[in-house]
Amino acid sequence: MEGVKNMEWNSLKASMKEGFVEKQDIETNSVATKKTSALRSKEISFKDYRRMQGVYALAGNLYNAIGDQKGCEAMYMLYTRNAEKLFNSHSLEVSNCYYLMAVFYIEQEMFEKAQICTKRSLINREKHLGPNHHACADCHYNLGIIQMKQGYYQKAKENISK
């Protein structure tokens, strides 16, 4: 019995080093056991993915707020990849991830990346919400801003007026 507890403790300590289990979980054995079991089987629940989504988005926002654009971009990319695992690449949730990334890229004046992300977001939004939805209008507006910054004034005018 003592050997089993020792094995669980060692497994838990190893997972703590990897950042998966919080220190307070050691005290609550049932939570720690569930997380350790999930780590052993390498299965992550939908609920855990949703939590990670929130953490990635929040971390991206914090990095952006302190001026760390590389950290922000990395977190937003994890946020988007995670959403693609949770849902499918054509879902509305993934569309929102690409929209967030597009806004970030516009702020950083990385217009080619912003345009790609905005178009991906627009395609999904039109598919799920219809072309006349205000979320699609937001994408068209952003495309217009991007095109205006790139010097494509006629295309910009067309997108902004949609």
Side-chain angles (χ1 to χ4, degrees):
M1 188 71 161
E2 189 66 40
V4 172
K5 284 184 180 179
N6 226 1
M7 285 175 47
E8 286 181 356
W9 173 252
N10 290 334
S11 175
L12 192 57
K13 281 185 2 188
S15 63
M16 280 178 57
K17 287 179 184 173
E18 295 172 19
F20 291 110
V21 180
E22 296 178 8
K23 189 174 183 178
Q24 67 189 27
D25 290 336
I26 295 169
E27 305 301 324
T28 57
N29 197 14
S30 63
V31 174
T33 304
K34 287 179 188 175
K35 289 191 178 187
T36 310
S37 298
L39 289 172
R40 284 185 188 141
S41 64
K42 296 187 180 181
E43 292 178 18
I44 298 177
S45 71
F46 182 80
K47 189 176 178 181
D48 289 335
Y49 267 116
R50 290 296 287 178
R51 285 184 185 142
M52 287 189 305
Q53 281 293 90
V55 169
Y56 293 145
L58 178 62
N61 291 337
L62 291 172
Y63 278 124
N64 198 18
I66 63 171
D68 183 352
Q69 283 73 34
K70 287 183 181 180
C72 178
E73 182 180 25
M75 288 298 111
Y76 285 166
M77 290 178 87
L78 285 171
Y79 176 60
T80 303
R81 276 193 231 129
N82 196 37
E84 288 175 335
K85 286 180 187 176
L86 273 176
F87 308 101
N88 66 46
S89 61
H90 303 292
S91 70
L92 197 53
E93 182 71 27
V94 171
S95 169
N96 294 335
C97 294
Y98 279 112
Y99 185 82
L100 177 65
M101 288 184 67
V103 170
F104 167 74
Y105 287 134
I106 291 169
E107 290 173 355
Q108 302 306 311
E109 298 185 2
M110 301 169 83
F111 299 120
E112 290 177 18
K113 287 182 177 183
Q115 189 168 11
I116 292 167
C117 290
T118 303
K119 285 181 178 180
R120 288 183 86 167
S121 179
L122 178 61
I123 290 167
N124 289 350
R125 288 178 176 196
E126 284 180 339
K127 178 182 173 186
H128 290 283
L129 303 172
N132 296 325
H133 194 273
H134 67 85
C136 297
D138 291 340
C139 289
H140 282 291
Y141 179 79
N142 284 349
L143 278 174
I145 297 296
I146 293 164
Q147 291 162 341
M148 188 172 62
K149 295 283 188 174
Q150 292 175 322
Y152 301 113
Y153 300 109
Q154 186 58 38
K155 287 182 182 180
K157 184 177 177 183
E158 291 170 14
N159 271 304
I160 290 176
S161 64
K162 285 187 180 182

